[in-house]
Amino acid sequence: MSKLKINIILFGIGNIGSTLINQIIESQDFFLESRNVDFHFPIITNSTVAFFEKEGVGYAWETNFRQLAVPFKVEDIIEFAKENEFENLIAVDATASDELVKHYNTLIKNGFNIVAVNKKANTLPIDLYKELRSNLKKYDKEFLYETSVDTGIPVLQTLRDLYYSGEKITKIRGVFSDHLSYVFNRFSAEDVSFSSVLKDASLLGLMKSTFKEDLSGNATARKLLILAREIGKDFDFSDIQIQPFITEKHLEKNGILNKDEVDKSFKISKITQSDDHVLRYIGEFDLERNKLEVKLISESAHSPIGQLKGSDTIFEIYTQSYAQVPIVIQSAPPCKQAISRGIITDILKVAERIRNKEAVWS
């Protein structure tokens, strides 16, 4: 089996992107020995500048980036790839950018496969979502995004395998946000005020970048939409019934949290639920009712969702064959190392598909 050279164009060198570069560089010999794959990073970017290195960046990539990175447009990246006749291109989107997603079709048309942590492409309006899929098929390119819903635990792969085997899926539900898992797990288990748990979550940095998205329910809704579309459902974001757990009544006129109102409201919810029940904030797709919901529920403390601890997330998939016993996929709190390994798993899958296509044409 001949060595396969893969050129990775990395968009985003924050916590996840920088971890990805280091993990691949450190494991390069392993990938060569175990998979006969030779990874290169000829271009790495942040939101404004890019570092171009034809032979691929090395251990000194951070210093080189600081000293040599230049302002760029996506068109510059495409031109550099063409000038240097790069083959086997994989664009890795390790950002949360709305702007980069707009260039996915252009990248695909110019020979790039895509691996993404970014959720945005899979929650676009359905016509744009379908246009992206059409171009992937037309140009014979891959787009993988397992880490967009979890750290890389194969939630989407499991769902796809069930769906394409002909299994009838009846319901998908779970706690998809590690941030809100922490909040409600603590509030349910301890004698504390709800506002104090929110404050602790903020101090821990759990909600630093996604506070409003989590509190509004939008972060959970985006993951639910991705799951629904994976099994062929043409929903849009507006089709999801979102019950935000922080509402206008919980806020002052200036938008600041009214602690007294929040604590009173959630204390009532906690003490009025049935014995041995806990509060959880879930996403749920009931296929038999064709209904997508994001909502606060009271759940039995003995169920998989009720037994969650810490910042764990959980996905339950109900099917006709398994009846009322769900397939449960539970994940520990995400960290940059785990997410990066999930990205590498997707990259390796794309590399294998590239190799198989080459074998067919050779």
Side-chain angles (χ1 to χ4, degrees):
M1 185 170 61
S2 60
K3 181 173 69 175
L4 181 68
K5 183 177 180 179
I6 297 291
N7 289 293
I8 301 171
I9 312 303
L10 176 62
F11 293 91
I13 55 169
N15 284 336
I16 295 171
S18 59
T19 302
L20 176 69
I21 297 173
N22 291 331
Q23 284 183 339
I24 286 183
I25 290 174
E26 290 165 4
S27 301
Q28 188 71 282
D29 290 342
F30 172 77
F31 295 129
L32 278 167
E33 183 180 338
S34 64
R35 307 294 285 271
N36 212 8
V37 175
D38 185 16
F39 289 119
H40 291 256
F41 288 91
I43 309 170
I44 58 176
T45 87
N46 61 20
S47 59
T48 57
V49 295
F51 172 51
F52 297 81
E53 172 52 66
K54 180 180 177 180
E55 299 305 320
V57 304
Y59 284 103
W61 68 266
E62 290 179 274
T63 300
N64 291 332
F65 187 89
R66 284 194 298 269
Q67 295 176 350
L68 302 171
V70 295
F72 79 100
K73 296 181 293 186
V74 170
E75 291 76 14
D76 299 326
I77 287 172
I78 292 169
E79 184 179 349
F80 186 77
K82 286 182 176 179
E83 285 178 354
N84 290 282
E85 299 181 338
F86 291 147
E87 294 182 320
N88 306 327
L89 289 159
I90 302 177
V92 173
D93 182 358
T95 77
S97 168
D98 290 298
E99 191 61 32
L100 181 56
V101 168
K102 297 175 185 176
H103 296 282
Y104 277 17
N105 282 315
T106 302
L107 289 167
I108 291 163
K109 291 173 185 178
N110 284 278
F112 289 75
N113 300 279
I114 298 174
V115 168
V117 180
N118 195 339
K119 302 175 184 62
K120 304 295 174 61
N122 289 314
T123 57
L124 289 168
I126 194 65
D127 56 335
L128 297 177
Y129 175 88
K130 288 186 174 181
E131 180 187 358
L132 179 61
R133 263 67 193 171
S134 176
N135 280 323
L136 288 165
K137 186 175 182 180
K138 180 178 178 180
Y139 295 94
D140 194 23
K141 296 303 168 189
E142 306 293 336
F143 175 31
L144 296 183
Y145 40 88
E146 190 70 67
T147 53
S148 68
V149 296
D150 205 53
T151 56
I153 302 298
V155 176
L156 295 177
Q157 187 63 55
T158 301
L159 195 57
R160 286 189 209 107
D161 288 346
L162 288 166
Y163 176 65
Y164 287 109
S165 74
E167 180 62 79
K168 182 180 179 183
I169 298 168
T170 57
K171 186 184 292 185
I172 303 167
R173 70 196 291 261
V175 175
F176 307 152
S177 166
D178 56 300
H179 305 154
L180 299 187
S181 180
Y182 168 86
V183 169
F184 283 101
N185 292 346
R186 269 203 61 196
F187 180 66
S188 294
E190 302 174 22
D191 184 18
V192 290
S193 68
F194 195 77
S195 63
S196 69
V197 178
L198 283 179
K199 181 180 179 181
D200 288 346
S202 182
L203 290 172
L204 288 170
L206 293 179
M207 297 186 178
K208 189 173 182 180
S209 61
T210 57
F211 190 77
K212 290 183 179 179
E213 280 282 284
D214 277 304
L215 298 189
S216 66
N218 287 349
T220 295
R222 290 186 198 285
K223 292 186 178 183
L224 184 64
L225 182 59
I226 292 171
L227 294 168
R229 287 177 169 180
E230 284 300 299
I231 53 175
K233 305 300 181 181
D234 290 347
F235 287 109
D236 266 317
F237 191 81
S238 59
D239 295 318
I240 305 172
Q241 296 181 21
I242 302 174
Q243 177 196 103
F245 64 90
I246 297 296
T247 63
E248 291 296 324
K249 73 175 184 177
H250 298 128
L251 303 173
E252 305 281 6
K253 290 183 179 179
N254 58 5
I256 300 298
L257 204 67
N258 183 325
K259 293 182 181 180
D260 292 338
E261 190 62 44
V262 167
D263 291 339
K264 176 184 174 182
S265 176
F266 281 95
K267 184 175 182 179
I268 291 171
S269 296
K270 184 176 181 178
I271 65 177
T272 56
Q273 62 184 339
S274 302
D275 291 341
D276 291 328
H277 275 62
V278 291
L279 297 174
R280 296 289 185 261
Y281 194 66
I282 69 164
E284 180 178 277
F285 177 23
D286 188 326
L287 281 82
E288 295 178 341
R289 295 190 298 148
N290 204 38
K291 192 171 185 180
L292 293 160
E293 295 178 283
V294 173
K295 58 189 177 181
L296 182 67
I297 63 168
S298 177
E299 178 83 1
S300 168
H302 305 294
S303 73
I305 288 178
Q307 293 181 59
L308 277 184
K309 306 293 183 186
S311 299
D312 290 2
T313 55
I314 190 168
F315 297 78
E316 293 185 339
I317 304 170
Y318 290 81
T319 68
Q320 187 176 55
S321 295
Y322 289 88
Q324 295 305 307
V325 180
I327 297 166
V328 177
I329 303 172
Q330 187 170 338
S331 179
C335 65
K336 59 185 180 182
Q337 290 84 1
I339 295 171
S340 175
R341 289 297 177 193
I343 296 171
I344 292 172
T345 298
D346 276 350
I347 290 172
L348 286 168
K349 286 180 180 178
V350 175
E352 191 61 31
R353 292 173 192 180
I354 290 171
R355 192 194 297 279
N356 290 339
K357 290 172 187 176
E358 287 186 352
V360 169
W361 289 105
S362 62

